[in-house]
Amino acid sequence: MEMAFTAQLLLLSSLFLQPVLVLSQTNGSIAVGGSLTATAEGNSSSSWLSPSGDFAFGFRPLGNNDLFLLSIWYAKIPDRTIVWYANNKPAVAPLGSSVNLTAHSGLVLTSPQGKELWKSETIVGVVANGVFNDTGNFVLEDDSSKKLWESFKNPTDTILPGQIIETGGSLASRQSETNYSKGRFQLRLQQDGNLVLNSINFTTASTNTPYYGSATTTGTVPGSEGKQLVFNDSGYLYVLRENGGKYTLTWGNRVSAMAYYTRATLNFDGVFAQYVHPKTFSGNASWEPLWSLPENICLDIDADSGPGVCGFNSICALSAADKRPKCECPRGFSLLDPNDLYGSCKPDFIQSCEEKEEEHLYDVQMLTNTDWLTSEYSRLEEFTADNCSESCIQDCLCGVAIYSNQTCWKKELPLSNGRVDSSLRATTFIKFRKDNSTLPVPPSPSPDDKKNNKTTFTGIRPVILATALLVCLVLIAAAFSLGLFFTFQKKQVRIMQSGLNISLRPFSYQELQEATNGFTEELGRGSFGVVYKGIIQNGSQVQVAVKKLHCVIQDGDKEFKTEVNVIGKTHHKNLVRLLGYCDEGQQRLLVYELLSNGTLASFLFADVKPSWGQRIEIAYGIAKGLEYLHEECSTPIIHCDIKPLM
């Protein structure tokens, strides 16, 4: 009886599962009106399969946060490697989101509340159906089988066999292995035919000098410039020249396209590589690199190519196994964000020029073949290695000394483009504090100093140092909102236009985490932090920009709050307003009103350039804001510096 009941239950379950299986196991053709929904059942999400089952299109779960990525991935290998994804901001969709195939808008991704999160680019024509090919290409066709849109023409970070990138096309890296927002690096086939790798300046959205180039431009041979980046069906990647010649990128061991999956990906660390994976495999099979570009990204990204792969004060080393960069903090330094292994390193001590007997407090770690490209402030000739080391220890400004060929270069923090390689032939002395202790807060200025209206630096130097750093951060954050603007206000911060009427408000970290939906929608970033879009509740929903600082003000909570109060006492119509802050543990965040029109850079460098009259108005407005900061507010503020008048 029990066995009969079990059999009936299994039969009943199979009847309920049948529609889902039919939906997933398509022949590659999807009719208009078809849809998928991001579900958490079974820790998986619904999808459409290509005819062979090699590829899947649908929702891939991201961790355990009830967030999903609309994407295409390899369906038959365990790691389900993603090769394409909807890369709008944010690049993730919450549980319950759906994608629909429509006649006039193509693929449309919506949230559970019906908000449009992403859609395929403008469709010229009427979509009759979708076709998911065994190449991994998802195509939208009209009733005459004309292609109206295809994922191959809108690549993200990966190119597959059968895919072509035309002149002007590009791949963009993701931010990290698990963060699919747009990252710092891109591969472009330029209009001149040169295939290049370069980093992106997030502040201006401009591109830095390439750190790799194929040199497929017009030369002595007519028509030698590249016109397409081709990944053929046999798994060979090359730049096709105008004259029919080829500049081949694929090299190394040859593999069978019948026996191996292959892809070429621009990794989040800026390395472009081709990988292969056996189609028939044991449990230990994985993606293996065939080749990668550039040869050594730690060395090939120089100062003109922008910041290196690793953050400030970090050291980049190339892994011999896969030619990928690894980052490491030197002794006396630790990661600003322990979860970001490629991020900046902060010193675990405070160095001050007010201390005496400097040489007894500090020591150096000696590294070989290590260097940082920037921040040099002194060059000393005819020195020995010992002289170089001792000179740095005794110099309160020195963070690192580089010694080579009887020359000593002294450099100050922060340092960028750090690298280690046997070709550098340099000895590096990294300064650190022996006891890793911090300095006590210095006494306040005396009443006599105030009476004489003197600016006392000896008593408040660490405070000014921390203050200067904070205002630098404010300036960087304001640049994302409308160029060189700050966020300041007087004792009572009032947002008249938005209906917000609150005092400068302290926020908890959890409040801001919830307001930004887990810091998912990034507005921009600078050297010291990232700006996220958020919504706070004050009777109604108010949009804000939340600046999450990477650095920790080492003088403590009191100084941080004092600085926030100082900038909170300024108010001008040309300055973005400060609404509040978070000072909780190691977390430092600033909350601003949101300027929804985007950055000044995006306006200045758009396809349609502003008129000269508009440019004059912009310059005049910025000048008025700076004039107020310099001369009119109660506490004059200079760029990257606050100087209280005493």
Side-chain angles (χ1 to χ4, degrees), residues 74 77 79 81 261-263 275-277 285-289:
Y74 287 98
I77 59 178
D79 64 1
T81 305
Y261 295 120
T262 183
R263 61 182 171 89
Y275 299 90
V276 294
H277 191 293
S286 61
W287 289 100
E288 297 292 338

Side-chain angles (χ1 to χ4, degrees), residues 528-554:
F528 300 101
V530 184
V531 181
Y532 299 94
K533 184 177 180 179
I535 297 177
I536 60 174
Q537 302 291 336
N538 186 58
S540 61
Q541 293 185 340
V542 178
Q543 292 186 332
V544 295
V546 179
K547 174 76 172 183
K548 188 176 184 182
L549 308 183
H550 283 163
C551 68
V552 176
I553 303 300
Q554 301 185 39

Side-chain angles (χ1 to χ4, degrees), residues 111-178:
S111 70
Q113 294 75 32
K115 179 183 178 182
E116 184 179 291
L117 302 176
W118 173 88
K119 68 177 180 179
S120 49
E121 65 183 12
T122 303
I123 302 296
V124 179
V126 177
V127 177
N129 63 289
V131 178
F132 193 20
N133 297 322
D134 278 333
T135 59
N137 188 19
F138 197 99
V139 183
L140 303 183
E141 297 180 343
D142 63 13
D143 54 9
S144 64
S145 298
K146 177 183 177 182
K147 295 180 179 180
L148 304 179
W149 181 90
E150 54 184 309
S151 59
F152 270 17
K153 296 296 184 182
N154 297 271
T156 50
D157 62 355
T158 297
I159 182 172
L160 298 172
Q163 192 167 356
I164 295 174
I165 293 180
E166 304 286 349
T167 304
S170 65
L171 300 178
S173 70
R174 63 186 77 163
Q175 279 192 20
S176 70
E177 200 71 58
T178 56

